[in-house]
Amino acid sequence: MGRQLKLNLFIYPGGHHEAAWRHPKSATDRLLDIRFYQELAQRAERAKLDAVFYADGPALESNVRFATRFRIEPFTWLSAIAVATERIGLIGTASTTYLEPYNAARLFASLDHISGGRAGWNIVTTGAERAAQNFGLDQHPPHAERYARAEEFVQVTGKLWDSWEDDAVVADAGTGAFADTSRIHAIDHEGGYFRVAGALNTPRTPQGRPVHVQAGSSPEGTAFAARHAEAVFTAHQSLASGQAFYADIKAQAAALGRDPDQLLVLPGISPYLGSTEAEGKALKQEFDELTQPEYGLGILRNLLGVDLSGADLDQPFLPDLLAGAEGLASSRSQLVLDVIRREQPTVREVLHRYAGARGHYVFAGTPVQVADEIQRWFEQGAADGFNIMPPWLPGGFDAFADEVVPILQARGLFRTEYTSTTLRGHFGLDRPASQYSRGLLAARG
């Protein structure tokens, strides 16, 4: 069997189009019903997808007035998904800025045990400045400081997950020994941000540690991913952009002595499916016409630092509107700027472009065309797979699972049955040995 696609269902309340909740096809009345999300995950599992992914942030989104931008705490949510499914991976977001390593290590260890080895950690440093006031801070830590803390945070959680060796639990009823305490290790970590004695109060998990996922595309983010990530969630609007990112992140990982195949690149794609290309585009237009310009203008104001509230929405996005936006460091800001420079759209077209999936790739067409595009990126060095971002739920995902997945399976690009019980197994990732194991300690001398 040749190289296989990795496919995740990225679940966002209501769907990824900002106006999805207004569309009659959406199940807006079920957005706080856990059974709705369990059914979505079960549907993804029947399609043999690798994982479901649930994003999170520790602050209320300012644009919740117009869109379903609330959050359900991900460990509670994923635990409920775990007991309703058997094989699909479970990836959730946890912030290194607003959690402590010991708490995070316990939460993910518990999820990995509950699910039988299906946990994944989307590692974020949190970009929302308003989060600081929710945690007793006067201001949000600077970008560089957040990444320095994240670096140490990942080191500490790794030590905690490794603090129980695989064979520390002996459960010998004859001798009365439950655990071999010589194989349980205090980590005694003292660093610039954390002091943690350890050991973790949870035995080593089926995967050893959760799959490490990262989504930052800034220079600091890609450098962090090259060191620590096993999957990278990224946003690209063109094949060329995806290829450049793919080559760069793999090269950075290789330069650090890592196997590039142990770092998966998974861009987002939000597909609109129709029986013809025109029908798919018309479906997208239906959703775009439901957008609130005030919402989109607020997004652009945050991204580009420009106030377009008085602009004519149907006039070209002229260069003078971008005054002050040049040189922005945010990867998402650069995505929007690149589209404006390349396509010279109207302001309204920019709002619609961003409404679909917050800067991720939006594609409208037939199931065959969507499958062709996924295969093109996969085979031409831009992706190891994709995060599927349905514009609305549940129908937007049902169409993909029913009509696109079988095409990819028929082409030999995607599994027809699971061959593993863990997320690491689905992704083709190695299971790490405990850094405290006797074999590794002996190898270090």
Side-chain angles (χ1 to χ4, degrees), residues 370-433:
V370 172
D372 287 346
E373 192 70 355
I374 288 173
Q375 182 172 357
R376 187 168 74 103
W377 284 52
F378 180 59
E379 294 182 341
Q380 295 187 26
D384 294 305
F386 286 85
N387 279 324
I388 308 305
M389 303 170 64
W392 83 98
L393 293 170
F397 178 66
D398 287 340
F400 182 87
D402 289 340
E403 301 176 37
V404 178
V405 169
I407 296 172
L408 297 172
Q409 290 172 328
R411 295 177 182 180
L413 297 172
F414 190 63
R415 70 172 67 85
T416 56
E417 295 294 339
Y418 289 113
T419 57
S420 174
T421 60
T422 69
L423 179 55
R424 287 190 172 278
H426 300 339
F427 276 175
L429 299 172
D430 296 337
R431 183 183 187 275

Side-chain angles (χ1 to χ4, degrees), residues 10 24 84 93 117 134 154 165 197 232 242-243 255 266 276 283 291 295 323 342 345 411 419 427 444:
F10 183 172
T93 297
N134 292 336
V154 170
E165 295 181 47
V232 177
Q243 288 170 324
L266 306 173
T276 64
L283 179 62
T291 58
Y295 173 93
R342 183 174 64 248
R411 295 177 182 180
T419 57
F427 276 175
R444 292 171 186 156

Side-chain angles (χ1 to χ4, degrees), residues 158-220:
K159 292 177 181 178
L160 288 167
W161 288 317
D162 287 351
S163 62
W164 289 62
E165 295 181 47
D166 284 318
D167 51 1
V169 176
V170 293
D172 188 332
T175 65
F178 176 76
D180 180 349
T181 52
S182 72
R183 296 179 184 270
I184 302 173
H185 306 275
I187 70 169
D188 294 324
H189 177 90
E190 291 195 21
Y193 294 92
F194 307 109
R195 288 195 306 161
V196 183
L200 194 64
N201 60 353
T202 308
R204 199 150 197 259
T205 73
Q207 294 189 114
R209 70 176 189 220
V211 173
H212 285 180
V213 180
Q214 203 268 346
S217 295
S218 66
E220 294 87 352

Side-chain angles (χ1 to χ4, degrees), residues 1-59:
M1 182 181 294
R3 179 167 164 256
Q4 295 275 292
L5 281 161
K6 313 303 177 188
L7 299 176
N8 304 322
L9 170 58
F10 183 172
I11 297 179
Y12 219 67
H16 286 271
H17 193 286
E18 68 186 46
W21 66 275
R22 300 183 67 194
H23 198 280
K25 291 183 177 180
S26 294
T28 308
D29 60 329
R30 300 192 67 194
L31 296 186
L32 292 172
D33 180 357
I34 191 59
R35 291 169 296 183
F36 175 60
Y37 299 107
Q38 289 173 327
E39 291 163 10
L40 283 169
Q42 290 166 344
R43 182 70 186 87
E45 189 168 70
R46 288 197 300 274
K48 312 306 178 187
L49 265 62
D50 294 82
V52 293
F53 166 49
Y54 196 71
D56 187 44

Side-chain angles (χ1 to χ4, degrees), residues 224-230 250 253-263:
F224 183 90
R227 289 190 298 273
H228 300 295
E230 295 165 295
K250 298 273 187 171
L256 293 168
R258 295 187 61 193
D259 178 357
D261 291 339
Q262 293 287 298
L263 197 170

Side-chain angles (χ1 to χ4, degrees), residues 299-323:
I299 293 287
L300 289 182
R301 183 166 54 250
N302 291 336
L303 278 172
L304 304 180
V306 293
D307 187 354
L308 302 174
S309 55
D312 184 339
L313 300 184
D314 295 309
Q315 290 300 311
F317 208 120
L318 300 173
D320 62 333
L321 294 177
L322 294 177

Side-chain angles (χ1 to χ4, degrees), residues 57-60 98 126-137 140:
L60 179 65
Y98 294 108
T126 301
E129 294 187 5
R130 59 191 170 277
Q133 283 72 46
N134 292 336
F135 294 87
L137 301 178
H140 193 48

